[in-house]
Amino acid sequence: MRAALFVLSLGAASAALAEIPADQRKSGADFMSAQTRAMQNDDATNPAMLSVLDGESRWSAKAGAGAKSCADCHGPAETSMKGVAARYPAFDAESGRPIDLAGRINSCVETRQQAQPLKPESPGLLALTAYVALQSRGMPVAPPSDERLASFRARGEELWRQRFGQLNFSCAQCHDDNWGRKLGSAPIPQAHPNAYPIYRLDWQGMGSLQRRLRNCMSGVRANAYPYGAPEFVDLELYLMQRAAGMPMETPGVRP
Amino acid sequence: MARAVAALALAAFCATTGGDGAVAQQAGLAPFVVTGDAIEAPLGGLKGDPARGRAIIVDRQKGLCLLCHSGPFPDQRFQGDIAPSLAGAGARLSVAQLRLRIVDGTLLNPETVMPSYYRIEGLTRVARAFEGKPILDAQEVEDVVAFLGALRDGPSTGETR
């Protein structure tokens, strides 16, 4: 009994900290070296811009049995896609689930263009996603208030707090409770999703938020969810809510 | 009787006994008994080697300790600051207390960020390569405990989280 009380009191004393208050939220860019920030901020040196340019040409390239381009239906991305990435994931009536931006693009490729869907993390899908997301750069993250998303977002928050893997860490333990502290040499960022897809120097290439989440899961020695898993979309839904109001940065550069 | 207790999962063991005095048994691992906030008996009756313990602590694939902790390791760059310094660990805690904190700190504080180094049950989606394996085996736990227990220089009280 004494031991039980002891356990209880210790647990209560160190209960997990709450969500990061709005005035303390920082982009991953704020934790980077000045050189890496400068690389991101100048489109002439930002290596992700190569992917964005690829996306721009794909936007008007005809493809599939329909021989249609994105532009044939949507017109110039600068107007039709403005603000879209800032409010994804959105509810997809057809599947009855939230869908992320890459998922939406791929569903268009498959059903409208009647072309082969692009593979997860393929250069083409990352390029189109980055080009569409660029049209929201500087705009505040604006998750939709669609009631149908609520249960999925709640599931995403559960996953955020779920401990995973042999090392038994949750996302929240590092990115809510210990951001700014050092894990080895690297400061722990707050894990905001507002710069994806990113060019990560460590990857020497582009990658999606899901790639980053898979990296973290492997890091805690967990069996990562596969690309496109509903868990990742739910988690992104929660992360966008958590980052609401922060400016979109796509295409980001990260160390 | 010990066999009957042995069938219980570690989580159930905590919930039903309060964690004091019963034998915790996980498949393939040495059993241990929690007394208060400590495990008095060395795992498997093994004797720890402090030199091997130090090597495990500074190994970033094995002990992983310096990702979160700093300590008296002047040769090691990039020590983390998520957790208290290991300096003086042996002055702050007994060897038996250190043992429980390394074996499974969640038995003391369910919210702790400290990994449970000698636990294979109650974990979620463990990667195949690590399935059914603790982070450290019984000998390695004892090696680390032996090294930390001998770290007497440093603050005798420390912030814990």
Side-chain angles (χ1 to χ4, degrees):
Chain A
M1 185 59 196
R2 189 173 47 81
L5 281 175
F6 176 60
V7 168
L8 275 178
S9 63
L10 266 174
S14 58
L17 302 178
E19 222 164 281
I20 301 167
D23 63 349
Q24 287 177 36
R25 287 187 310 189
K26 288 176 190 291
S27 161
D30 296 333
F31 297 89
M32 312 193 298
S33 71
Q35 296 95 308
T36 313
R37 257 199 316 278
M39 189 191 284
Q40 170 175 311
N41 291 341
D42 180 354
D43 284 350
T45 59
N46 183 332
M49 287 308 289
L50 289 171
S51 175
V52 168
L53 289 175
D54 179 22
E56 184 177 16
S57 57
R58 286 169 186 269
W59 182 260
S60 44
K62 295 185 188 301
K68 275 190 203 158
S69 72
C70 308
D72 286 342
C73 291
H74 295 284
E78 288 81 355
T79 47
S80 63
M81 294 295 122
K82 194 172 170 59
V84 170
R87 54 178 186 262
Y88 261 71
F91 192 78
D92 174 46
E94 205 163 308
S95 61
R97 283 200 40 85
I99 191 167
D100 64 9
L101 184 58
R104 169 60 75 214
I105 289 170
N106 230 354
S107 127
C108 241
V109 166
E110 204 173 357
T111 61
R112 310 287 178 200
Q113 291 186 316
Q114 296 168 46
Q116 280 294 317
L118 299 162
K119 291 205 169 68
E121 302 305 294
S122 62
L125 186 56
L126 287 166
L128 274 169
T129 311
Y131 178 61
V132 169
L134 173 72
Q135 313 309 325
S136 298
R137 187 159 67 175
M139 296 177 69
V141 171
S145 54
D146 189 336
E147 262 310 302
R148 295 170 297 179
L149 292 171
S151 63
F152 299 100
R153 190 175 284 133
R155 174 68 184 133
E157 181 170 4
E158 271 174 41
L159 289 164
W160 176 256
R161 302 186 189 289
Q162 165 76 53
R163 296 173 81 136
F164 283 105
Q166 190 199 39
L167 301 186
N168 207 27
F169 289 128
S170 70
C171 314
Q173 282 183 305
C174 280
H175 300 287
D176 278 343
D177 301 350
N178 284 295
W179 63 267
R181 294 180 194 271
K182 282 197 169 132
L183 184 69
S185 64
I188 298 177
Q190 295 180 351
H192 294 301
N194 55 322
Y196 285 86
I198 58 168
Y199 185 97
R200 196 162 180 234
L201 301 175
D202 186 43
W203 295 333
Q204 296 278 297
M206 295 289 290
S208 69
L209 177 63
Q210 295 196 4
R211 182 172 180 189
R212 189 67 194 82
L213 294 171
R214 282 173 54 84
N215 278 185
C216 258
M217 290 190 80
S218 304
V220 302
R221 300 181 176 174
N223 175 21
Y225 294 112
Y227 283 113
E231 285 85 354
F232 280 147
V233 181
D234 294 351
L235 199 46
E236 181 176 355
L237 204 52
Y238 170 66
L239 287 176
M240 287 295 270
Q241 175 71 56
R242 185 172 167 273
M246 295 180 75
M248 291 287 291
E249 282 177 30
T250 311
V253 178
R254 293 292 181 269
Chain B
M1 180 56 200
R3 283 288 145 201
V5 176
L8 295 175
L10 196 57
F13 152 78
C14 297
T16 54
T17 67
D20 202 4
V23 179
Q25 172 76 65
Q26 306 169 86
L29 301 195
F32 58 86
V33 178
V34 178
T35 311
D37 74 335
I39 299 172
E40 298 290 342
L43 298 180
L46 296 164
K47 184 171 165 45
D49 172 354
R52 280 200 311 250
R54 187 189 195 279
I56 291 165
I57 285 171
V58 301
D59 184 336
R60 281 155 208 254
Q61 305 298 319
K62 191 74 195 164
L64 312 150
C65 307
L66 300 188
L67 290 178
C68 295
H69 295 274
S70 60
F73 310 100
D75 55 322
Q76 296 294 315
R77 301 174 69 199
F78 304 134
Q79 303 179 23
D81 63 0
I82 292 166
S85 168
L86 298 176
R92 295 193 293 273
L93 296 165
S94 72
V95 160
Q97 287 174 315
L98 287 166
R99 186 176 290 112
L100 175 56
R101 281 152 181 79
I102 290 159
V103 164
D104 189 353
T106 66
L107 294 175
L108 290 175
N109 172 11
E111 306 290 337
T112 186
V113 71
M114 170 96 172
S116 302
Y117 279 82
Y118 199 66
R119 168 176 166 185
I120 55 172
E121 288 170 3
L123 304 173
T124 304
R125 289 188 73 89
V126 175
R128 182 153 304 205
F130 300 101
E131 237 172 350
K133 295 175 190 155
I135 303 171
L136 298 179
D137 67 24
Q139 181 63 62
E140 291 163 338
V141 169
E142 290 307 321
D143 293 341
V144 169
V145 167
F147 176 78
L148 292 177
L151 287 184
R152 315 289 301 184
D153 293 337
S156 55
T157 57
E159 182 202 6
T160 54
R161 51 171 92 236

